[in-house]
Amino acid sequence: MQSNQHPHPHIHPHDGHNEEHFESSDFLKDIVIGMSDGLTVPFALAAGLSGAVDSTKIILTAGVAEIIAGSIAMGLGGFLAGKTETDHYQSELRREYYEVNHFPEVEKQECREIFEDLGLSQNSVDIIMDELSKDKDKWVKFMMRFELGLEQPDEKRAMKSALNIGGAYIVGGLIPLSTYAIFNDVKTGFMYSVVITLIALFIFGYFKNKVIGQNPLSGAFRTMAIGAAAAAAAFFVAQWFEHM
Amino acid sequence: MQSNQHPHPHIHPHDGHNEEHFESSDFLKDIVIGMSDGLTVPFALAAGLSGAVDSTKIILTAGVAEIIAGSIAMGLGGFLAGKTETDHYQSELRREYYEVNHFPEVEKQECREIFEDLGLSQNSVDIIMDELSKDKDKWVKFMMRFELGLEQPDEKRAMKSALNIGGAYIVGGLIPLSTYAIFNDVKTGFMYSVVITLIALFIFGYFKNKVIGQNPLSGAFRTMAIGAAAAAAAFFVAQWFEHM
């Protein structure tokens, strides 16, 4: 559920090698998004119920229902968000072509401002604008990327992304639940669930932060802390709620 | 949990009015992210448990634990992702300054390629590069934005965003749970929960898609369909699991 505040991947449009790097980082990002929530939310839900009910069957049923609900919400939600992004790109593209054809002077002025903001002189901007406005495809491409900040979305990504995120959520969610199935006792299941999930969050946080070039150790502690905070809060609120 | 595939907001760096529009759309995006998952996952969890247990207290306890866990995972996760983005921007900024100072020719070549890709002639690119490389701050700013696709993140946003997303998740999650508390009977609570949550998802989907400029009616049906699919899947899997 960490949503759209992840660091933007680097965009190197001219370089085949880097585009590959870009794709593999999309895959990793999907896994990170799915797995960090999958490890955290079913873990915290199970921990919360452990403070309130005494049947592992209820905890496992709730956990499985949550994993199904969460993976569908994340996967399908991600898929439809990807479709929306594609639609949005296409409609903005049509609008830019329309504006370039019907209000070229307005568009030229918007374009000039981008270059002037970079500190280029009037003379240079004149030269650039003369060349850029000759080729409407290039001009629109420039406006899409540098005025609107939009890159052409990859349509196939939406489906792949949905499966990656949903799958990672399921895998992550089964880890904290597994101990309740193994020990068939709420207290023991809870204890081991806390231990293995915090270890899993630590390892996951370590590699996640290594991949994005951040300090892996502090990232590992941070990731573990979110999971622990969510589980502790769910535990105490559920207990309070049950005794109300 | 829909994550980072939402349409990019428009970036109009030179225009005060549009920056305001950008900020308010950040707020709306937070609400959309939190509310769409808040309406979907606790709804589907409660629906799933309705097919497997006969106590509204268990459903409410699980639902409340899920809302706490989900809002913390989304809110805190979003906050830390925002901090990571800020760190990432700062470290890339340092690297660009380092490269501009120590390998100016390599950086110039990378910069040239961006302009050449727009179809500008060698002559224009020469003029631009002469001017751009005179002011290192402008040059680095250009590389950050147009080579790496990075905008300076707003540090205050991370905390605001966490509260918006977490709060919207809680508000969204209380809607499907409320009927179980009101009717104190699983079947009746479930029935009314399905009705009011599907209506809420429809209304929410309508306005969400209106705001992002998509067809509101098809967006409303799409949003409702995700919630219904998640709830139906959770219901049948939990029932199957309970009877296993």
Side-chain angles (χ1 to χ4, degrees):
Chain A
M1 305 196 213
Q2 302 203 342
S3 71
N4 56 339
Q5 289 152 320
H6 287 275
H8 304 287
H10 288 194
I11 297 155
H12 290 110
H14 326 292
D15 185 329
H17 172 72
N18 276 314
E19 266 187 63
E20 209 171 281
H21 174 256
F22 176 60
E23 270 203 20
S24 95
S25 104
D26 270 353
F27 173 77
L28 281 174
K29 213 161 64 174
D30 289 345
I31 299 298
V32 162
I33 291 167
M35 175 107 16
S36 61
D37 286 358
L39 277 171
T40 305
V41 183
F43 167 54
L45 171 65
L49 286 174
S50 299
V53 304
D54 52 10
S55 150
T56 54
K57 187 141 204 181
I58 289 176
I59 293 174
L60 287 169
T61 304
V64 167
E66 209 287 335
I67 290 176
I68 296 298
S71 61
I72 289 179
M74 285 194 91
L76 204 54
F79 173 69
L80 292 178
K83 293 293 266 185
T84 303
E85 192 181 2
T86 306
D87 295 348
H88 180 66
Y89 184 86
Q90 293 303 332
S91 76
E92 290 291 333
L93 192 67
R94 276 193 299 275
R95 194 162 81 181
E96 284 299 332
Y97 271 108
Y98 182 85
E99 287 176 356
V100 159
N101 283 319
H102 293 80
F103 310 104
E105 292 312 315
V106 178
E107 287 298 293
K108 265 186 200 166
Q109 190 48 42
E110 287 180 13
C111 224
R112 295 188 69 93
E113 282 170 16
I114 294 172
F115 288 113
E116 282 163 12
D117 195 52
L118 291 170
L120 299 187
S121 67
Q122 291 296 325
N123 186 37
S124 317
V125 177
D126 287 340
I127 295 172
I128 296 169
M129 286 314 301
D130 276 352
E131 289 191 0
L132 201 56
S133 57
K134 266 183 215 148
D135 183 342
K136 276 178 187 163
D137 293 336
K138 297 257 178 199
W139 190 10
V140 166
K141 189 180 157 196
F142 177 86
M143 300 301 280
M144 291 298 287
R145 180 143 177 239
F146 293 154
E147 190 204 15
L148 300 178
L150 294 176
E151 296 286 331
Q152 181 148 28
D154 179 355
E155 295 203 36
K156 276 179 289 180
R157 277 278 313 145
M159 178 54 90
K160 268 193 274 180
S161 188
L163 294 175
N164 295 341
I165 293 175
Y169 191 89
I170 292 171
V171 171
L174 290 177
I175 293 172
L177 288 189
S178 62
T179 59
Y180 294 92
I182 293 166
F183 294 106
N184 205 20
D185 168 72
V186 173
K187 275 197 181 143
T188 320
F190 171 62
M191 222 178 59
Y192 283 102
S193 179
V194 169
V195 173
I196 66 161
T197 310
L198 291 185
I199 292 172
L201 283 165
F202 190 89
I203 295 170
F204 168 73
Y206 186 91
F207 285 105
K208 169 185 148 186
N209 281 273
K210 207 181 166 90
V211 163
I212 61 172
Q214 297 294 311
N215 185 329
L217 218 57
S218 81
F221 280 109
R222 218 155 45 183
T223 307
M224 204 173 68
I226 300 178
F235 183 90
F236 289 114
V237 170
Q239 207 170 39
W240 164 80
F241 191 83
E242 178 68 14
H243 291 99
M244 210 164 57
Chain B
M1 304 197 216
Q2 302 200 342
S3 72
N4 57 338
Q5 289 151 321
H6 287 275
H8 305 287
H10 289 194
I11 297 156
H12 290 110
H14 326 292
D15 185 329
H17 171 72
N18 276 316
E19 266 187 64
E20 209 171 281
H21 173 257
F22 177 59
E23 271 204 18
S24 94
S25 105
D26 270 352
F27 172 77
L28 281 174
K29 213 161 64 175
D30 289 345
I31 300 298
V32 162
I33 291 168
M35 177 111 9
S36 59
D37 286 356
L39 278 171
T40 306
V41 183
F43 168 52
L45 172 66
L49 286 174
S50 299
V53 304
D54 54 9
S55 150
T56 54
K57 187 141 203 182
I58 289 176
I59 293 174
L60 287 169
T61 304
V64 167
E66 209 287 335
I67 290 177
I68 298 298
S71 62
I72 289 178
M74 286 195 92
L76 205 54
F79 174 69
L80 292 178
K83 293 292 266 185
T84 303
E85 191 181 2
T86 306
D87 295 348
H88 179 66
Y89 184 87
Q90 294 303 333
S91 75
E92 291 291 332
L93 192 66
R94 276 193 298 275
R95 195 162 78 181
E96 283 298 331
Y97 270 110
Y98 182 85
E99 288 177 355
V100 160
N101 283 320
H102 293 80
F103 310 104
E105 292 312 316
V106 178
E107 287 297 294
K108 266 185 199 165
Q109 190 49 41
E110 288 179 13
C111 225
R112 294 187 70 93
E113 283 170 14
I114 294 171
F115 288 113
E116 282 163 10
D117 195 52
L118 292 170
L120 299 187
S121 67
Q122 291 296 324
N123 186 37
S124 314
V125 177
D126 287 340
I127 296 172
I128 296 169
M129 286 315 301
D130 276 352
E131 291 191 2
L132 201 55
S133 57
K134 266 183 217 150
D135 183 340
K136 277 180 185 161
D137 292 336
K138 297 256 179 199
W139 190 10
V140 166
K141 189 179 155 195
F142 177 85
M143 300 301 280
M144 291 298 287
R145 184 149 173 235
F146 293 152
E147 190 204 16
L148 301 178
L150 294 175
E151 296 285 332
Q152 181 149 28
D154 179 354
E155 296 202 36
K156 275 179 288 180
R157 277 276 316 144
M159 178 53 89
K160 266 192 274 179
S161 188
L163 295 174
N164 294 340
I165 293 175
Y169 191 91
I170 292 171
V171 171
L174 290 176
I175 293 172
L177 287 189
S178 62
T179 60
Y180 294 91
I182 293 166
F183 294 105
N184 205 21
D185 168 71
V186 173
K187 275 198 179 141
T188 320
F190 171 62
M191 221 177 61
Y192 283 102
S193 179
V194 169
V195 172
I196 65 160
T197 310
L198 290 185
I199 292 172
L201 282 166
F202 189 89
I203 296 170
F204 168 73
Y206 185 91
F207 285 106
K208 169 185 147 187
N209 281 273
K210 207 181 167 90
V211 163
I212 61 173
Q214 298 293 312
N215 185 330
L217 218 56
S218 78
F221 279 109
R222 217 156 43 184
T223 307
M224 205 173 68
I226 299 178
F235 183 89
F236 289 114
V237 170
Q239 208 170 38
W240 164 80
F241 190 83
E242 178 69 13
H243 290 100
M244 210 162 58

